[in-house]
Amino acid sequence: MEVDEGTSLLPTIESFGPYDGETEDQQQPKKSPAGKFRLRFGYGCGHAQNDLCSAMYFSYLLVYLEGVGLTPVEAGIVLIAGQLVDGMATPIIGFLSDQFTPFDADCCFGLSGKRKAWYMFGLVMVSSTFWAMFSPYPETMPIPAVVYYSLANCIMQVGWASVQISHMSLVPELTPLKSERTMLNSIRFAVTVGSSITIYILVWLLPSGDTGGSGEADAHRKEEDLLVKLQYISYLELMIGFL
């Protein structure tokens, strides 16, 4: 299998030793168990920030936007604007990442190359905009709130697509073995499920000012507490995912 120069610094499963067996599907590398574990674990967790953001995005974005004053129609516009951008950005970034390598493989301490450059680009985009969608609208902004949140959502979706495409494209470049590719994708999917569950656990565990009262004033206070909690969780998940 040919590997382009942009990914020459990536550690591959086959780099841990020669193969035994007669066919590709039967071949198993003689490798360092620790090295193989690091590769699988590193790849599996490489999409965790996207998974955390996705779970938060689809579960609580509309709740938060309506809570900070947007109408249901405006909140829907914010959501659909991001999804439209995501639908356009995904094939475009897929094509560009196949055709262009922004930097040489030995640039930026090994954080560049054909796939990793696009991955880092997306990571920065997501990290710099996702929190804005779960933060109060700045009153000093010269644009309406629906436009502000829509722009943040669209920029975030471009970064999200860049991380997703570059991360998934690494699998065939890491190993030619179908069994190892299946293993890598299985670990990645397990992390996706775990990330979704993590968001719900955080919403459940983080304390709020709930006193168990009743009435309109108490309901309003509970809604404000939820909005603050979602804001804190958005910051927390970005820090977890960035690691």
Side-chain angles (χ1 to χ4, degrees), residues 50-133:
N50 264 24
D51 296 330
L52 290 167
C53 291
S54 178
M56 186 83 173
Y57 178 91
F58 287 110
S59 297
Y60 296 110
L61 180 62
L62 292 178
V63 175
Y64 186 86
L65 292 179
E66 292 186 36
V68 294
L70 269 66
T71 66
V73 172
E74 290 174 334
I77 290 174
V78 173
L79 185 68
I80 196 64
Q83 293 305 292
L84 289 174
V85 170
D86 179 50
M88 293 184 290
T90 298
I92 294 174
I93 291 175
F95 172 78
L96 293 177
S97 66
D98 279 339
Q99 301 298 321
F100 302 103
T101 303
F103 305 101
D104 294 333
D106 5 344
C107 175
C108 306
F109 307 100
L111 296 177
S112 58
K114 187 171 185 178
R115 304 300 180 191
K116 287 190 284 186
W118 289 98
Y119 181 92
M120 296 304 296
F121 164 76
L123 182 66
V124 171
M125 295 277 282
V126 172
S127 300
S128 60
T129 55
F130 182 78
W131 61 270
M133 292 189 294

Side-chain angles (χ1 to χ4, degrees), residues 137-158:
Y137 169 69
E139 297 296 336
T140 56
M141 291 294 292
I143 55 177
V146 63
V147 177
Y148 169 80
Y149 286 113
S150 295
L151 288 175
N153 191 11
C154 291
I155 296 173
M156 191 277 293
Q157 291 294 343
V158 173

Side-chain angles (χ1 to χ4, degrees), residues 179-234:
S179 60
E180 292 295 345
R181 292 177 181 179
T182 301
M183 177 61 72
L184 290 173
N185 281 315
S186 298
I187 296 172
R188 176 182 181 274
F189 182 72
V191 173
T192 298
V193 175
S195 298
S196 300
I197 297 174
T198 298
I199 292 299
Y200 303 130
I201 291 177
L202 287 174
V203 173
W204 176 54
L205 287 180
L206 285 186
S208 63
D210 185 9
T211 59
S214 58
E216 183 177 345
D218 188 72
H220 180 69
R221 182 182 54 76
K222 290 179 180 178
E223 181 180 353
E224 290 182 344
D225 288 342
L226 176 61
L227 298 181
V228 173
K229 182 187 292 190
L230 294 177
Q231 183 179 355
Y232 289 157
I233 292 175
S234 70

Side-chain angles (χ1 to χ4, degrees), residues 1-10 12 14 114 172-176:
M1 185 187 77
E2 294 183 359
V3 179
D4 64 273
E5 294 180 357
T7 57
S8 60
L9 293 183
L10 290 172
T12 62
E14 49 278 34
K114 187 171 185 178
E173 298 182 6
L174 286 173
T175 176

